[in-house]
Amino acid sequence: MRIAFFLVLTIVGALGATAAAAVGAPPALLGVALVVAFLGLACAAGAAAVALHAPDDLREPREPHGPTAPTPLPDDGISRPAFGRLWLAALGAFGVLGLVPLISLARKPGRRVITGWRSGVRLVDENNRPIARDRLVDGSIETVFPQGGVGLAEGSAVLIRVDAELLRVAGEGGAADGYVAFSKICTHAGCPVAIYRHASHELYCPCHQSRFDVLHGARNISGPAPRPLPQLALDVDAQGYLVARGDFGAPVGPDDWDRFS
Ligand code: FES
């Protein structure tokens, strides 16, 4: 009965791991199911080997006539055909387990970076104070975070106030009340972008001098940055504080798998 128990464990573990991979369950769950499957098969094989092993003091009786009687199979509490089917089922389930790496390869990676931004989240300064709509004057800049996420590097953004009419003419859709916000993490190598030149409405990255056009979605004008700084679309809530309309429009930071999810 012990062997049958381990075989059932193998089947459950193998099918569970395959199902976990198919639905994209957390890796820890997949790992536990794999451990159950491998351990179950190893224990079943070990228990079968022990059961079939003849004791050391066994001496084959030397009967003078006739062939030796076949060694009886270990009594595992189930019939011989059922026992065979159970082994086949366990090995079959183990074969299905081979699909797990294929399933994992077929799935695109999801967005891994948590920025803390979502619709309605207020912009706050480094002291967690909400940003009121009259906080900045035209031409000034401030680093902001999502409320409750102060210090979260992936959530950091630069908030800039510019002439609302210039934004309107430029067709800037993510602005609110003359404010625009962009990820503070450079898309080239991840340096913090925090130098703003009001005269030309450009953000600079100090590491390799990439320049970004604030009036046109922080598109890169020059330098090695391969794409614009992701924009944080803004709004003003009923109490007059700046809020996000959602997460950044693109994955933050240098290119990685997140872009292709
Ligand atoms: S890190 Fe910004 S330009 Fe290289």
Side-chain angles (χ1 to χ4, degrees):
M1 210 62 198
R2 211 162 25 138
I3 301 173
F5 170 74
F6 288 134
L7 290 175
V8 170
L9 217 56
T10 304
I11 295 170
V12 170
L15 296 183
T18 309
V23 301
L29 197 62
L30 177 62
V32 168
L34 285 173
V35 166
V36 169
F38 277 85
L39 215 57
L41 192 62
C43 289
V50 168
L52 290 171
H53 180 67
D56 289 342
D57 59 352
L58 181 68
R59 297 283 184 276
E60 188 177 4
R62 294 185 178 277
E63 298 293 336
H65 308 294
T68 305
T71 306
L73 282 175
D75 180 13
D76 209 23
I78 57 176
S79 69
R80 183 172 175 158
F83 192 60
R85 280 196 292 272
L86 199 53
W87 267 106
L88 279 178
L91 294 176
F94 216 72
V96 172
L97 203 55
L99 292 176
V100 169
L102 296 179
I103 294 171
S104 303
L105 283 174
R107 181 178 299 112
K108 289 181 178 179
R111 184 178 280 207
R112 292 172 294 159
V113 173
I114 307 297
T115 65
W117 293 110
R118 60 184 185 281
S119 178
V121 169
R122 279 183 176 168
L123 281 63
V124 297
D125 62 16
E126 58 186 10
N127 297 312
N128 207 33
R129 287 178 309 199
I131 308 288
R133 66 190 312 167
D134 58 356
R135 170 80 163 237
L136 300 183
V137 296
D138 186 6
S140 51
I141 178 173
E142 181 165 6
T143 297
V144 294
F145 299 92
Q147 192 162 40
V150 173
L152 195 64
E154 291 81 2
S156 62
V158 283
L159 177 69
I160 303 161
R161 189 160 199 189
V162 296
D163 185 343
E165 183 58 17
L166 287 177
L167 290 171
R168 192 191 63 75
V169 171
E172 180 51 72
D177 223 9
Y179 288 95
V180 282
F182 303 98
S183 168
K184 191 173 178 175
I185 303 175
C186 183
T187 52
H188 175 228
C191 286
V193 178
I195 303 172
Y196 177 57
R197 189 170 177 225
H198 177 52
S200 55
H201 305 290
E202 289 172 7
L203 276 166
Y204 285 86
C205 177
C207 287
H208 311 99
Q209 288 77 51
S210 282
R211 295 158 56 216
F212 303 92
D213 182 356
V214 165
L215 295 182
H216 296 91
R219 70 183 177 197
N220 43 318
I221 306 167
S222 67
R227 60 191 176 97
L229 295 173
Q231 184 165 11
L232 187 70
L234 300 176
D235 214 339
V236 179
D237 69 12
Q239 286 76 42
Y241 292 103
L242 293 177
V243 296
R245 279 192 237 159
D247 201 352
F248 287 113
V252 299
D255 280 353
D256 58 18
W257 279 106
D258 289 347
R259 286 199 64 199
F260 304 102
S261 61

